[in-house]
Amino acid sequence: MNSKQQEIIGLLIIAVSLFVLASLIGFTPMEEPSLSPNVAIANPMGILGVYVSHFLIKLFAGYLTLAFPLMGLAWGWWVFSRLPVKPLLRFTLHFSLLILIGAVAVGLLAIFRNAGNPNFLYSGLVGGLVAVTLKDFIGFIGAILVLAVITLVVFRNYFNWSFNAPFMRLGQWITDRRASHAARQEEQATEEAKRQHTRQLLEKIDEQQARDRQAVVDDKRITQPEEEEVAEDYPEEPPHDVELEDQEELDYRAQLDLMMPEPGEEPLPPQRQRTAAHPQADDDEVSGEDIQVEQEIVESEIDIDKIKQRKKPRRQYQLPSSDLLATPPAVVEGQTREELLERADFLVASLSTFGVEGKVVNVSPGPVITLFEVEPAEGVRISKFTALADDLARVMEASRVRVIAPIPGKSSVGIEIPNRNPAMVYFKSVINSEKFAQAESLLTLAVGKTTSGEIATMNMAKMPHLLIAGTTGSGKSVCLNTIICSLLYQATPEQVKFVIIDPKKVEMTMYRALHGYHLLTMEDIDEPIVTSTDAAVLALRAVEAEMSRRYDDLADKVVRNIDEFNQKARENNESIMPYIIVVVDELADLMLMSAKDVEAPIARLAQLARAVGIHLVIATQRPSVDVITGVIKANFPSRIAFQVASKIDSRTILDTIGAEKLIGRGDMLYLGTGSGELARLHNAYISLEEIEAITDHITEQPQPGELVLPSIREISAAGDELGGDDSQDELFDEAVKLIVTHQHGSISLLQRRLKVGYSRAARLIDEMEQAGIVGPFTGSKAREVLVDESYLDGLYSQE
C-alpha cells in the first residue's frame, strides 16, 4: 500500500468515526428504527444515526460504546500518518475487551439495584444478558470475581505487569533483613571472641613478665655482697634480652590498641586493620586499573525528504523517499559499563593464562563488535597476541576474534570481539544520516557503520573504482544492492546510468524495471540486465568506445573532466554528461569463459575512465589470482573484503591477512585509495521488498530521454572498410564447418573449438554473415544458420 492509498483510507476512517460519534451523542432512548416515518427524528445524523446508535447503545454495550468512535479517530490519524499499525492493533484488542467487561459490570450493577426488572440501557442488551447468565450460574459474588480476574489478565498481558513481583520483592526484603540480622549477630559474636582472646593473651603476657621480673630479683639476691655494694652506686639496668622483650610487648600493645575499638565504636574491617597495623604496606596495595570505557556512537537521524534540494515540482523527477524503506526498531540498550569491564577483566585473565601479560586501557563498544585496547607489559612481543587469536575466540566464546597488532598510531594492541547480541545496521538509518543527506557528491554511497557505531559513507568519484570479494553468504550481493540504491537516492536518470552485468542471471533481476530510466541501452544487446558472456564482452567494449567518444567531447570543450564539462553545459543550457556505473556481479564466471577479452577492457576502463565519469564496481566470490589478476588488481586501489575462506584469499584482495577473521553478514574490511590502513565496517542491510519499492517509485516518474550506446559491430565494420582489409581469415573454412555441423551460430562455440579470442571469433561470425551463412545479430541469442550440410559438400568440392 503506497502513501496515497494510506492517506485516503485514513481520511475515510476519520469521517466514519465522526459520523458514529455524532450518532451516539445524539442518541435518544425513545427513538427506535421501528417508529413511524411521520415522527420527527431528533438524531443529528438522521435515520442512519438512529440505526447506528440503537445497535451500539441499546443492543450492544450501552454508553461505553462511545469509546469506539474515539478509537476510530485514533486509527484514522494513525493510518493517515503512515505509522506502524501493529502497536495500535494490540491496544485496540485489549481496550475493546475492557469495554465489554465494563458493560457486563454495569449490567451486574443494574441487576443488583433492581433484580426483578433490571434496566439494561446503560449496559446494553449484550452486556445485560452476559451479566444475567453469570449471576444465574455462579452467583453475584462469583460474577464479580470472574470479571476482576479477567481485568487483571488483560492488564497483565498488555502492560507486562508482574503481579508476582511485589510479593517476590517483599519476600526478598524479609530474607535480606533476616540475613543481615544474622550476619550482624555473627559479626558481634566474632568480635567478642576476638576481644576475649586478646584479653587472655594480654593476661598471659603480664603473668610471664611478672615471673621474669621476680626471677631477676631473685638472681640479684644470690649475688655476693661486694657486688651489691658496687651495684648500689649505679642505677639498676635490666638485661638486654628483657629490654627487647619489653619493646616487642610495647609494639604489640600498640597494634592491639589500633585494632581494638573504643566503647560504642564500630570495629575496623580486616583491610583497615592490616593498614593500621602496617602503614607501610598501604603503598604496595594495587588500587585497580583505570580502564576508559567509551560510549557507542549513535548519530542523530534527519528526514532526507525535507532537504530543499530534493524537492522539485511534481512534473519533474522525484527522488525516492525514505518512507519506502523499513523503519529500524527502537534502539536496544547495548552493553552496560559493568558488562564491558567484566569482559575486559576476563580478557586480561585469559591472556595471563596463556603467558601474555597486559592490561586493558580502553574499550570501544559498537553495534556488532567491541574493540579492547590492550597495553602489553614490558618485554611482551606483539606477535604473541596474533598467535592467540583462535585461543581467545575459544575462551571468549566468540565465533572469530581479530587482532590488530598494533593499532596504527598507538602503542596498544587491538582485540576485536563480536558482541553476544549484535545489532543489525539498517539502510534507512544510513540514508537519513546527516553525512549522507548533506553530501554534495552525486556518487555518495551509504555503506553502513563503523565498529564504534559511526555512520560510514564513501565517495565513488574519489575511489574511483571498487573491487569487492567475499564468500557465499558473506554479504557481497547486499553490498552491491546498497551501492546501487544509494545512487538511486542521490541522482536522477539524467545524472547517473548503470550497466549491470549479472552472469548468475538471478541476483540483479529486480533492476530490470529500471529499463528506460537508469539502465543504459546498447544496440548490440536486447536485454536490460546483461547475463551472457558474449553480451558482457560487448557491453564492456561498448563502454570502452563511449569512454573514447567522451574524451573527444572533453577535448572539443577544452575541459579536463566531467565536472567541468557539466558545469559549462549548464551555463549554456545544454544536456549534461551522465555518470556511468558498470556493475559486475560475478567476475570469476566471465574470466573463466573469456579471460583475455574481459580483462583488456576492464583494465583500460580502470586506467582512463575516471575523468569522463565512468566507474567500475566489480564483485567476485572467488578472490584467486586467476580471477583477480595483477593487471586488474593494480588498477583497483579501493577494495572491500567480506569474509573469505583462507588467509591466501585475504592477501589476494587486501595484500594482508584479516578478512578470514570476519564474522560474515555484512562484516567487511575496506582498503581506501592511497591508504594502507584497513577500516572495519558493517554493511547496511536492504531487503528485496525495499528494492522493489524503490524501483516501483522510479517507474512512476516521467520517463527521461534514453541514452543509447552505438553498436560495436558497426564500429568494427566501419574501421575495416576504412582500412581496406579484404583478406579472409585463414580459419574461416574450419569455422564454417563447425557452425554448419552444429547448426548453432555462436561466438563462444568458435572460441572453445578453435581456441581463439573473442575478437577473432566475432570477426569470423561477421564474415559468415557477409557470406550469407548465418543470419543477423539477435542480441544474446545464437545467430540463425541459413545453410545446411549440403553447403559443406560444395565447400569440399572446391578444395
Side-chain angles (χ1 to χ4, degrees), residues 746-792:
S746 170
I747 297 176
S748 60
L749 176 63
L750 297 181
Q751 288 181 262
R752 293 193 304 270
R753 293 301 183 90
L754 300 180
K755 297 181 180 179
V756 296
Y758 176 85
S759 301
R760 190 173 184 182
R763 183 180 178 87
L764 288 170
I765 290 292
D766 292 338
E767 291 178 3
M768 293 182 201
E769 180 184 358
Q770 296 174 2
I773 300 174
V774 297
F777 176 72
T778 58
S780 60
K781 299 179 181 179
R783 298 201 187 200
E784 181 184 3
V785 181
L786 304 178
V787 297
D788 54 13
E789 294 186 1
S790 61
Y791 179 83
L792 297 179

Side-chain angles (χ1 to χ4, degrees), residues 199-213 249 253:
R199 293 191 192 97
Q200 293 176 358
L201 183 61
L202 290 176
E203 291 176 358
K204 290 181 179 180
I205 293 175
D206 292 338
E207 293 177 358
Q208 182 64 35
Q209 290 178 349
R211 287 195 297 268
D212 292 341
R213 291 191 184 96
E249 176 191 350
R253 285 180 177 274

Side-chain angles (χ1 to χ4, degrees), residues 259-447:
M259 291 189 292
M260 291 292 292
E262 296 292 334
E265 183 182 358
E266 291 292 332
L268 294 175
Q271 177 67 27
R272 295 285 304 275
Q273 292 178 7
R274 291 194 300 268
T275 306
H278 301 282
Q280 69 277 8
D282 184 59
D283 298 335
D284 300 333
E285 295 289 336
V286 180
S287 61
E289 299 170 351
D290 186 13
I291 302 177
Q292 181 181 358
V293 179
E294 299 180 356
Q295 294 291 331
E296 180 180 345
I297 299 176
V298 180
E299 297 193 9
S300 59
E301 295 186 9
I302 62 175
D303 191 353
I304 193 174
D305 302 325
K306 295 182 180 179
I307 298 178
K308 295 182 180 180
Q309 290 82 354
R310 298 179 64 87
K311 295 181 179 179
K312 293 184 178 181
R314 291 218 176 249
R315 68 175 184 270
Q316 296 186 6
Y317 182 87
Q318 291 283 333
L319 293 173
S321 169
S322 61
D323 294 334
L324 301 174
L325 303 175
T327 302
V331 179
V332 181
E333 189 69 23
Q335 302 179 88
T336 62
R337 177 183 174 86
E338 290 72 18
E339 293 175 347
L340 294 173
L341 291 176
E342 181 181 355
R343 297 193 77 184
D345 294 339
F346 186 72
L347 176 61
V348 173
S350 302
L351 291 172
S352 179
T353 303
F354 295 114
V356 179
E357 298 296 334
K359 61 179 180 179
V360 176
V361 295
N362 190 24
V363 180
S364 301
V368 180
I369 66 168
T370 301
L371 174 63
F372 295 88
E373 297 185 16
V374 181
E375 184 77 26
E378 292 293 335
V380 178
R381 303 173 66 89
I382 60 174
S383 59
K384 293 184 177 180
F385 289 90
T386 307
L388 290 176
D390 295 334
D391 295 319
L392 290 177
R394 178 182 60 83
V395 298
M396 299 298 294
E397 298 179 355
S399 56
R400 300 192 181 188
V401 170
R402 177 171 172 259
V403 178
I404 309 173
I407 298 176
K410 295 184 179 181
S411 61
S412 56
V413 175
I415 300 178
E416 295 176 339
I417 301 176
N419 297 338
R420 294 188 177 96
N421 297 313
M424 180 176 290
V425 180
Y426 285 85
F427 186 64
K428 184 175 183 178
S429 62
V430 185
I431 286 293
N432 280 336
S433 66
E434 187 174 356
K435 287 184 179 179
F436 181 83
Q438 302 293 344
E440 297 180 357
S441 175
L442 294 176
L443 303 183
T444 302
L445 306 181
V447 180

